[in-house]
């Protein structure tokens, strides 16, 4: 087992960034917003793990089943001694399936904004796979990142970017293309992106996944307000808001909101924000794609659509995209 080589991206204080985004998102004309990247503090990450275990949330178990059947073919396509990069690695559950399937992968570079969870999962992987060099990067992957040299264009080894969980669905479509173009810029021709994408399906099935009966998704969404309450001087009252998830049929997306139960004012660090009764804070989008619409997006980002794996119920998809 080798010592972990930890890369910490130079950043301004994250509490300052959070406050800046709160002020910007709550001062904007029209719809108030909070960026979904702030879901994943320690409690938020634990709640998301619980979401993945709810009966309604088909995403995780379906993607894991797809990976079980697809990874032997993926391993043949990518070959031996690959360098792996994962954006938003979290607890590192799905990566174990990929590492087990590949032939002696050389390096693994997980990137995550939550340092505690990233380092814990990286240490476990380092112990479980002593021949795999693990280089955790503590960073917001939406910001510019200096990657370890092991994932450079000068490397003679094939590179594979792993982006499971349909995280790409949280991007606006134009932003999704922009981010995938960024991924493409990290790769040489013939390198690959393995990406999970949620599919269009009846609205009732989608809505149930974001309004689970146990209320775990509601707690996950409300935790954004809990973070504000615990991080700053504020008179914010959690009991004055509630969770709502709606399906926007025209835009094929779930929208997550925090709704103000009453007309109120909230003060945060001396900044005052007014809420009308039933006014919402928009916290997340989750777009649902057809196979054709996502493959068009991938081609626009510089990838060939080499293979697509889908479950029998057509709930979810995993795409193997080759840098063209």
């Amino acid at each position: 087992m080798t010592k972990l080589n930890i890369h910490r991206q130079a950043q301004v204080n994250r509490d300052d960034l959070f406050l800046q985004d709160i002020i910007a998102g709550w001062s904007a004309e029209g719809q108030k917003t909070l960026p979904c990247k702030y879901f994943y503090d320690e409690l938020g990450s634990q709640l998301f793990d619980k979401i993945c275990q709810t009966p309604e949330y088909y995403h995780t178990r379906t993607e894991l089943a797809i990976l079980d059947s697809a990874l032997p073919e993926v391993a043949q396509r990518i070959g031996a001694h690959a360098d792996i990069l994962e954006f938003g690695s979290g607890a590192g559950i799905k990566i174990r399936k990929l590492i087990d399937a590949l032939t002696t992968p050389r390096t693994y570079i997980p990137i995550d904004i939550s340092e505690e969870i990233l380092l814990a999962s990286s240490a476990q992987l380092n112990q479980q796979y002593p021949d795999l060099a693990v280089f955790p990067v503590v960073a917001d992957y939406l910001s510019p990142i200096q990657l370890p040299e092991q994932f450079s264009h000068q490397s003679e080894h094939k590179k594979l970017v792993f982006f499971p969980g349909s995280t790409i669905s949280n991007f606006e479509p134009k932003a999704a293309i922009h981010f995938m173009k960024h991924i493409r810029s990290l790769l040489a021709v013939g390198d690959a992106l393995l990406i999970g994408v949620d599919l269009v399906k009846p609205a009732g099935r989608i809505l149930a996944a974001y309004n689970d009966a146990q209320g775990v998704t509601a707690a996950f969404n409300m935790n954004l307000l809990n973070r504000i309450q615990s991080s700053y001087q504020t008179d914010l009252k959690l009991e004055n808001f509630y969770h709502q998830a709606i399906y926007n049929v025209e835009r094929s997306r779930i929208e997550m909101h925090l709704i103000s139960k009453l007309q109120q004012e909230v003060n945060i660090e001396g900044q005052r924000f007014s809420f009308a009764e039933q006014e919402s804070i928009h916290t997340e989008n989750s777009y649902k794609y057809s196979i054709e619409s996502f493959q068009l997006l991938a081609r626009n980002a510089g990838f060939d659509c080499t293979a697509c794996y889908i479950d029998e119920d057509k709930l979810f998809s995993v795409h193997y995209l080759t840098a063209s």
Side-chain angles (χ1 to χ4, degrees):
M1 182 175 65
T2 58
K3 182 180 178 182
L4 281 177
N5 294 279
I6 303 165
H7 296 253
R8 289 180 176 86
Q9 191 71 21
Q11 294 179 337
V12 298
N13 185 285
R14 286 185 188 143
D15 284 343
D16 291 343
L17 285 174
F18 188 24
L19 182 58
Q20 289 172 21
D21 285 337
I22 295 166
I23 294 170
W26 289 15
S27 301
E29 299 247 346
Q31 178 68 63
K32 289 182 173 67
T33 61
L34 276 175
C36 63
K37 66 182 180 181
Y38 294 112
F39 279 136
Y40 299 98
D41 64 347
E42 185 177 1
L43 176 57
S45 297
Q46 292 170 357
L47 286 168
F48 183 72
D49 288 343
K50 289 183 179 179
I51 288 171
C52 294
Q53 298 167 29
T54 61
E56 299 93 338
Y57 197 80
Y58 56 84
H59 308 62
T60 302
R61 62 177 176 270
T62 305
E63 185 176 34
L64 286 169
I66 293 171
L67 289 172
D68 282 339
S69 61
L71 283 177
E73 183 177 308
V74 168
Q76 286 187 329
R77 292 185 184 279
I78 201 68
H81 313 304
D83 294 319
I84 310 165
L85 172 68
E86 183 177 10
F87 291 104
S89 54
I93 297 170
K94 294 169 188 173
I95 191 62
R96 285 171 169 78
K97 288 185 176 290
L98 179 58
I99 292 170
D100 288 340
L102 296 182
T103 305
T104 56
R106 192 177 75 114
T107 61
Y108 172 54
I109 302 171
I111 302 173
D112 204 278
I113 196 169
S114 178
E115 180 168 347
E116 185 174 353
I117 291 170
L118 174 67
L119 298 188
S121 63
S122 296
Q124 291 171 1
L125 287 167
N126 196 39
Q127 186 172 21
Q128 188 175 353
Y129 302 96
D131 296 328
L132 179 69
V134 181
F135 299 89
V137 178
V138 182
D140 174 2
Y141 63 73
L142 297 179
S143 302
I145 300 173
Q146 184 71 38
L147 290 175
E149 61 183 12
Q150 287 75 15
F151 209 80
S152 69
H153 284 297
Q154 284 70 41
S155 173
E156 62 187 27
H157 300 274
K158 214 162 185 182
K159 296 190 284 293
L160 175 64
V161 173
F162 188 42
F163 199 36
S166 200
T167 306
I168 195 66
S169 297
N170 298 142
F171 292 79
E172 292 294 319
K174 286 183 180 179
I177 294 174
H178 179 77
F179 185 69
M180 287 180 65
K181 283 182 176 179
H182 167 62
I183 294 175
R184 174 62 186 87
S185 73
L186 303 174
L187 305 175
V189 173
D191 291 338
L193 166 62
L194 188 66
I195 184 169
V197 182
D198 198 14
L199 297 177
V200 174
K201 60 187 69 64
R205 186 70 186 268
I206 298 173
L207 278 167
Y210 296 85
N211 293 284
D212 61 274
Q214 298 176 51
V216 184
T217 307
F220 176 69
N221 198 15
M222 288 289 292
N223 186 52
L224 280 171
L225 300 181
N226 182 59
R227 285 191 69 178
I228 294 172
Q229 196 178 62
S230 60
S231 299
Y232 306 112
Q233 288 190 342
T234 179
D235 57 3
L236 173 70
K237 295 179 174 61
L238 270 64
E239 61 269 24
N240 288 347
F241 292 86
Y242 66 93
H243 157 79
Q244 184 181 72
I246 62 173
Y247 185 57
N248 186 325
V249 177
E250 290 184 1
R251 305 187 72 173
S252 294
R253 73 184 191 189
I254 278 283
E255 297 177 3
M256 293 248 288
H257 295 264
L258 294 165
I259 311 294
S260 176
K261 296 179 181 178
L262 69 164
Q263 183 175 334
Q264 60 177 312
E265 288 191 346
V266 176
N267 293 282
I268 303 174
E269 296 290 340
Q271 298 278 336
R272 181 178 295 180
F273 306 98
S274 296
F275 287 84
E277 184 178 353
Q278 295 301 304
E279 183 177 2
S280 81
I281 306 164
H282 190 174
T283 58
E284 184 182 54
N285 291 320
S286 182
Y287 282 85
K288 311 304 170 186
Y289 289 92
S290 66
I291 298 300
E292 296 76 17
S293 64
F294 181 75
Q295 289 183 340
L296 176 61
L297 186 152
R299 286 192 289 270
N300 286 337
F303 288 95
D304 289 330
C305 303
T306 305
C308 176
Y309 309 96
I310 312 169
D311 63 290
E312 288 184 1
D313 295 328
K314 299 181 179 179
L315 298 175
F316 202 89
S317 61
V318 174
H319 299 254
Y320 185 96
L321 306 176
T322 304
S324 56

